Amino acid sequence: MIGKILILIIVLGIIPFCIGLIPVNLIDEKMRSIGVTYISGFLLSLGIFQLITVPIVIVSPWGFKLIVPLFTSITGILAVAGIGITIFLQKKGKTNFAAIKREHREKTTEEKVMWLIVFLLIAFQMFMAFTRTSFDGDDAYYVVQSLLTQETDTLYRIRPYTGLSTGMDLRHSLAVFPIWIAYIGKISNIHSTIIAHSVLPLILIPITYWIYLEIGKKLFKRDRKKLPMFMIFICIMQIFGNVSIYTNATFFLTRTWQGKSLLANLVIPAVLWLLLWIFEKEGYEKENRIGLWLMLFNVNIVAALSSTASVFLIALLIGVNGIVLGIQEKTIQIPLRLMITCIPLVVYGAMFLLI
């Protein structure tokens, strides 16, 4: 058991963080933090998995045996590259990742109490998600699909409801998040159901809240005392958001492991977070924003990994922002650049239609 936990720590913790060193070296030092590095690496690893897996799903029904060593090798190489690039740039004096200058101010007692409440609320959600895991009708497809992949090495070629062979399920096969769950189960030798219901909430819940934290830093940059109040508000909205089975809060805490939940609760906030960063008018040099554009491009790949609905939803979200910002700034460059970041969604949608 200890060995399996160590593998999970390496695969879901250390490797994504090291991979994240690559994109964060392309953004301003003031934007960097441990959390931003980890989130960037985690999303980049998911994007790489999508690029590797979709062609194999289409071409080879039994391609999971190829995906596991290929993805493991690529992420391992990128993790080493991230460490090497950071060390090299630090020696050249072109980056100072180890000593990021940040604004330090003494927090009031009220702020400390509110941050403690934030921590307790998030910990409570993680504890409940881990110990009171819920089962949903969709698990009969998504989790079983992960388990079938882990146990038989097939890729969407067995019908989960009956166990009989079938053709490629086009509706689901290009959104390969269940295959990623199967990969984590295979590499750690843990049942896919345990990965989905018990492990992923401990990863995805804090990542989601960290993204909201970064959004809050932008919204309340002139009054950071309001930031913990914002986080408490988000926590309360999630905890008490189960007003129907269709809300993002319901998916967030009861279907954390499903691609639809990943899209609604992690990908969409990540898009908004990066848009706030990219179009920040104060404090950062424009030439250091190439990393943010690349991160937004990758988030669109992750959107395709999570759900086929992303083709419309994320493209619409970015498109509306591009039109509004283009009109506000009186330039065509902004919508054009945002259109480029949507290329993964266009390609994904075209594949869906052609296949």
Side-chain angles (χ1 to χ4, degrees):
M1 178 60 73
I2 295 177
K4 294 178 180 180
I5 293 175
L6 288 175
I7 291 174
L8 288 177
I9 292 173
I10 293 171
V11 174
L12 294 175
I14 297 174
I15 289 180
F17 179 83
C18 294
I19 292 175
L21 294 171
I22 298 175
V24 297
N25 276 302
L26 299 175
I27 64 178
D28 195 284
E29 289 182 3
K30 295 178 182 179
M31 296 179 175
R32 302 175 194 173
S33 69
I34 292 175
V36 170
T37 303
Y38 177 75
I39 293 170
S40 302
F42 182 79
L43 292 175
L44 182 56
S45 67
L46 287 180
I48 293 169
F49 189 83
Q50 171 78 353
L51 294 177
I52 291 173
T53 304
V54 168
I56 296 177
V57 168
I58 295 172
V59 174
S60 175
W62 299 277
F64 189 62
K65 289 183 178 179
L66 176 61
I67 292 171
V68 173
L70 185 59
F71 180 68
T72 303
S73 300
I74 291 175
T75 52
I77 292 171
L78 288 176
V80 173
I83 297 172
I85 290 171
T86 302
I87 294 174
F88 174 78
L89 292 176
Q90 285 207 260
K91 287 183 177 180
K92 293 289 186 179
K94 295 181 179 180
T95 187
N96 190 20
F97 189 85
I100 303 171
K101 294 181 179 179
R102 295 191 177 278
E103 177 187 356
H104 295 282
R105 62 179 181 83
E106 187 65 26
K107 293 182 174 62
T108 64
T109 302
E110 182 183 1
E111 285 182 274
K112 292 178 180 178
V113 171
M114 286 193 294
W115 279 117
L116 177 61
I117 294 173
V118 172
F119 174 79
L120 292 176
L121 287 173
I122 295 174
F124 170 74
Q125 292 171 74
M126 294 172 64
F127 174 79
M128 294 300 289
F130 181 78
T131 61
R132 301 291 189 272
T133 184
S134 62
F135 292 88
D136 179 81
D138 282 347
D139 288 354
Y141 184 90
Y142 293 108
V143 177
V144 174
Q145 194 66 262
S146 298
L147 181 59
L148 286 171
T149 301
Q150 181 181 357
E151 297 293 333
T152 67
D153 293 321
T154 57
L155 299 169
Y156 293 105
R157 294 328 196 271
I158 297 178
R159 188 169 177 79
Y161 302 130
T162 62
L164 300 176
S165 298
T166 184
M168 185 175 66
D169 182 358
L170 180 59
R171 178 189 169 194
H172 300 97
S173 58
L174 299 185
V176 296
F177 191 57
I179 308 300
W180 180 79
I181 294 175
Y183 166 81
I184 300 299
K186 190 78 170 181
I187 204 73
S188 62
N189 197 27
I190 298 176
H191 199 284
S192 288
T193 305
I194 297 175
I195 295 294
H197 285 264
S198 299
V199 175
L200 286 189
L202 301 181
I203 302 296
L204 297 178
I205 289 175
I207 288 177
T208 299
Y209 278 113
W210 198 290
I211 291 174
Y212 277 114
L213 177 65
E214 295 298 332
I215 291 174
K217 287 179 181 179
K218 288 300 172 191
L219 297 178
F220 304 103
K221 60 183 178 181
R222 300 187 188 280
D223 189 358
R224 287 294 180 89
K225 293 180 180 180
K226 295 180 180 178
L227 185 55
M229 297 172 62
F230 169 75
M231 293 302 297
I232 291 173
F233 174 76
I234 296 296
C235 288
I236 296 300
M237 290 293 291
Q238 296 286 27
I239 293 173
F240 296 100
N242 185 26
V243 295
S244 83
I245 63 173
Y246 302 110
T247 65
N248 69 299
T250 300
F251 276 76
F252 180 58
L253 295 178
T254 66
R255 306 192 197 183
T256 315
W257 49 89
Q258 293 182 14
K260 292 173 286 188
S261 177
L262 185 75
L263 174 64
N265 292 292
L266 195 148
V267 174
I268 292 177
V271 171
L272 296 175
W273 163 46
L274 290 171
L275 289 175
L276 285 171
W277 266 17
I278 290 171
F279 297 105
E280 171 72 42
K281 292 185 177 181
E282 301 173 1
Y284 304 124
E285 297 295 334
K286 289 186 177 180
E287 58 266 27
N288 290 332
R289 299 189 187 184
I290 180 64
L292 299 178
W293 284 103
L294 293 176
M295 288 165 63
L296 181 59
F297 186 90
N298 176 69
V299 166
N300 284 328
I301 298 177
V302 178
L305 170 138
S306 62
S307 173
T308 53
S310 64
V311 175
F312 172 75
L313 293 176
I314 301 299
L316 180 63
L317 173 62
I318 293 177
V320 169
N321 276 274
I323 293 171
V324 172
L325 290 168
I327 294 174
Q328 179 183 349
E329 300 297 327
K330 298 180 180 179
T331 176
I332 193 64
Q333 290 188 4
I334 291 176
L336 287 178
R337 291 177 181 178
L338 289 174
M339 285 175 60
I340 292 174
T341 66
C342 291
I343 288 176
L345 298 174
V346 175
V347 173
Y348 182 70
M351 291 176 60
F352 186 83
L353 293 175
L354 292 174
I355 295 176

